[in-house]
Amino acid sequence: MKITIIGSGYVGLVTGTCIAERGNRVVCIDNNTGLINNLNKGIIPIYEPGLEPMILKNVKRGDLFFSTDLKKGLQETELVFIAVGTPMGEDGSADLTAVLKVAQQIGENMDHELIIVNKSTVPVGTADKVSEVVSKALASRDKNIPFDVVSNPEFLKEGAAIQDFMKPDRIVVGASNERSFAKMRQLYAPFLRNHNRLIEMDVRSAEMTKYAANAMLATKISFINEIANICELVGADVNKVRLGIGSDSRIGYDFIYPGSGYGGSCFPKDIKALRKMASDAGYEAQILTSVERVNDFQKTVIADKVIKRFGEDLNGYTFALWGLAFKPETDDMREAPSIYTVKKLLRHGAKIQAYDPKAGETARKFYFKGEKGVTYADTKYGVLEGADALILLTEWKEFNAPDFHYIIEKLKNPVIFDGRNQYSDFNLKELGIEYHQVGKKTI
């Protein structure tokens, strides 16, 4: 099949590359000339395990192309995916400016029957808006070209996006006619050889499914963090409580890890957008409001523990920090707990020596740009020298089982603040380490 992806950011790149991997001819379009030039040189703008070699392989064999020419990209294509950003607006709603601009351009340039696929995370009713914009653009050209608008939300986990796309848990397709469903079945058939996980529904239900899925996952995270905070106050151990409730198959263990809260490009934005969507429809989303409030509180839990331990005035104190990305296997720092933790400690006068396997450059160039109180090291042990304590905020594998004796040797004080409860099963007290975690009193 001939496929066009408009938007060559995270979702567009992963989608286009994985579709090309199955032998389809894919062209990824973007209006960012620098981005497209870099992609054509083999320079990949994001870190995602497995993505770079897959892009380079498919470009080499002639299945994947990058261009700024939307009109040419629409020629002869069968499906055109809209995969542009929907950033959060000032009122919390999803900003559809880029989506509707692309719809306008499609209507202005299409010359044959098309199926337009919304891959971007968009509010319920967006497909209708896209259809209206395309129809008006066609009418202005005095053209009557048939088209359909389909919803096909992405369910990609950063750090595991290739696996998620190539071996999906489910593929949700919302359409209004059999022709569109049939074309989407054809596209995804190679990904569903072992088990048919394609779920067909109406367009609005498909649009809602993405928001509902992210809201449920965010709710589980905030729920366990709420339990963790209660456990700490009453003398219980949330790590043991987690095992006790997770063994119930109705609950399960996924997404009930206590910690410093969720971040990233999806959960914070989508929770706000869903709340706004509900409000616009005349309903107050009370659970989602609480989920967001708990998460906002949780992002500074570790900073509060540091301040409680070392005092309000942290001038003269330096803290080693392991982990800047909002989760492992990505360089994405959007809404990461590290941002809130570092900024709060800096306000109290502290200095930070940070290390992250992938997100160090992101922090240096964007989130802590020009911040003299933050320095960086090339290794996890490189940040320990001269530090008063160690803070862990991202559960990268290389942090799982460190040399605690070396940590003790390098730190001024044998103190660890663990924002992901990575070391809750280690007997750190026996090693002489003062261990602060989430959801259990300090030992």
Side-chain angles (χ1 to χ4, degrees):
M1 297 177 71
K2 292 182 179 180
I3 310 295
T4 299
I5 312 286
I6 302 179
S8 297
Y10 184 86
V11 173
L13 272 182
V14 173
T15 300
T17 303
C18 290
I19 291 175
E21 177 73 5
R22 292 303 192 196
N24 299 287
R25 188 181 187 277
V26 178
V27 56
C28 291
I29 305 293
D30 204 283
N31 61 5
N32 185 331
T33 302
L35 170 65
I36 294 300
N37 288 341
N38 282 337
L39 286 167
N40 281 321
K41 293 175 185 176
I43 301 172
I44 313 306
I46 58 173
Y47 173 73
E48 177 64 36
L51 180 60
E52 181 173 341
M54 190 178 284
I55 288 175
L56 298 178
K57 177 178 67 174
N58 282 282
V59 168
K60 184 176 181 180
R61 73 184 190 187
D63 285 329
L64 183 61
F65 303 85
F66 301 103
S67 175
T68 57
D69 192 339
L70 185 143
K71 184 173 183 177
K72 186 176 179 181
L74 292 179
Q75 292 174 0
E76 300 181 2
T77 194
E78 299 171 66
L79 296 167
V80 54
F81 282 79
I82 299 177
V84 294
T86 53
M88 185 172 61
E90 292 183 3
D91 61 356
S93 63
D95 185 347
L96 297 178
T97 302
V99 171
L100 298 181
K101 182 178 180 180
V102 168
Q104 176 76 23
Q105 292 170 332
I106 292 172
E108 291 171 346
N109 291 283
M110 62 186 288
D111 58 8
H112 63 283
E113 188 171 356
L114 277 180
I115 294 177
I116 302 167
V117 184
N118 270 337
K119 199 69 175 172
S120 302
T121 301
V122 293
V124 174
T126 299
D128 294 337
K129 293 180 180 179
V130 169
S131 182
E132 182 181 350
V133 169
V134 174
S135 294
K136 286 183 178 179
L138 286 172
S140 70
R141 296 167 56 199
D142 198 24
K143 297 287 185 180
N144 184 23
I145 304 172
F147 70 92
D148 295 316
V149 180
V150 169
S151 175
N152 176 217
E154 55 87 9
F155 297 98
L156 305 175
K157 298 187 295 290
E158 290 192 51
I162 299 296
Q163 175 76 8
D164 287 344
F165 202 104
M166 301 304 289
K167 297 181 179 179
D169 292 327
R170 80 289 207 191
I171 297 171
V172 172
V173 174
S176 58
N177 58 69
E178 177 56 29
R179 175 184 174 276
S180 294
F181 280 127
K183 186 63 74 171
M184 296 300 285
R185 288 186 211 115
Q186 179 185 346
L187 172 69
Y188 283 117
F191 300 91
L192 302 169
R193 297 289 187 201
N194 296 325
H195 185 75
N196 185 10
R197 292 184 171 88
L198 194 147
I199 304 170
E200 299 177 359
M201 59 184 72
D202 63 277
V203 174
R204 286 183 171 241
S205 295
E207 291 171 331
M208 186 64 175
T209 297
K210 174 60 187 290
Y211 282 102
N214 280 352
M216 174 58 77
L217 297 175
T219 298
K220 292 186 74 173
I221 294 170
S222 281
F223 173 79
I224 197 63
N225 281 332
E226 180 110 296
I227 295 298
N229 296 334
I230 297 171
C231 283
E232 191 166 337
L233 292 171
V234 301
D237 182 349
V238 71
N239 304 296
K240 291 182 170 58
V241 172
R242 175 187 170 274
L243 294 175
I245 64 174
S247 59
D248 186 329
S249 60
R250 297 170 300 175
I251 299 172
Y253 294 106
D254 291 342
F255 282 80
I256 57 167
Y257 291 90
S260 299
Y262 58 77
S265 62
C266 292
F267 288 4
K269 175 174 70 74
D270 291 353
I271 291 296
K272 288 183 183 298
L274 186 52
R275 285 184 59 201
K276 181 63 166 58
M277 202 187 312
S279 177
D280 289 346
Y283 178 77
E284 181 185 353
Q286 299 176 62
I287 291 177
L288 299 182
T289 301
S290 297
V291 166
E292 195 172 47
R293 186 180 298 123
V294 169
N295 194 61
D296 289 342
F297 173 84
Q298 208 67 22
K299 286 181 177 179
T300 59
V301 159
I302 290 298
D304 292 338
K305 289 178 180 291
V306 172
I307 292 166
K308 183 177 180 180
R309 168 63 174 78
F310 288 98
E312 291 284 337
D313 184 0
L314 295 178
N315 282 286
Y317 286 100
T318 299
F319 298 100
L321 175 63
W322 284 359
L324 292 162
F326 85 95
K327 64 181 288 188
E329 300 299 334
T330 181
D331 59 356
D332 193 343
M333 281 185 62
R334 283 173 286 186
E335 292 296 319
S338 64
I339 298 171
Y340 298 85
T341 301
V342 168
K343 288 186 175 180
K344 186 162 189 175
L345 294 177
L346 290 175
R347 287 197 299 271
H348 283 260
K351 292 183 178 180
I352 305 295
Q353 297 174 172
Y355 168 73
D356 187 285
K358 293 296 177 182
E361 200 63 17
T362 303
R364 192 195 317 266
K365 288 184 176 180
F366 300 103
Y367 295 96
F368 305 129
K369 183 179 180 180
E371 181 54 68
K372 295 179 180 179
V374 182
T375 57
Y376 306 88
D378 295 328
T379 68
K380 63 178 180 287
Y381 295 124
V383 298
L384 299 177
E385 194 71 48
D388 291 279
L390 170 63
I391 300 170
L392 172 71
L393 290 179
T394 313
E395 61 275 33
W396 286 92
K397 290 180 181 178
E398 69 172 273
F399 302 153
N400 286 356
D403 184 341
F404 290 109
H405 293 288
Y406 188 78
I407 292 173
I408 293 171
E409 179 185 329
K410 290 297 179 181
L411 290 177
K412 290 181 181 179
N413 308 287
V415 181
I416 295 177
F417 296 90
D418 186 351
R420 295 300 176 189
N421 287 17
Q422 284 289 284
Y423 308 137
S424 59
D425 292 331
F426 290 78
N427 191 354
L428 298 185
K429 185 177 182 180
E430 191 175 90
L431 295 176
I433 294 176
E434 181 183 317
Y435 180 52
H436 300 257
Q437 59 181 306
V438 177
K440 185 181 179 182
K441 287 185 177 179
T442 303
I443 58 172

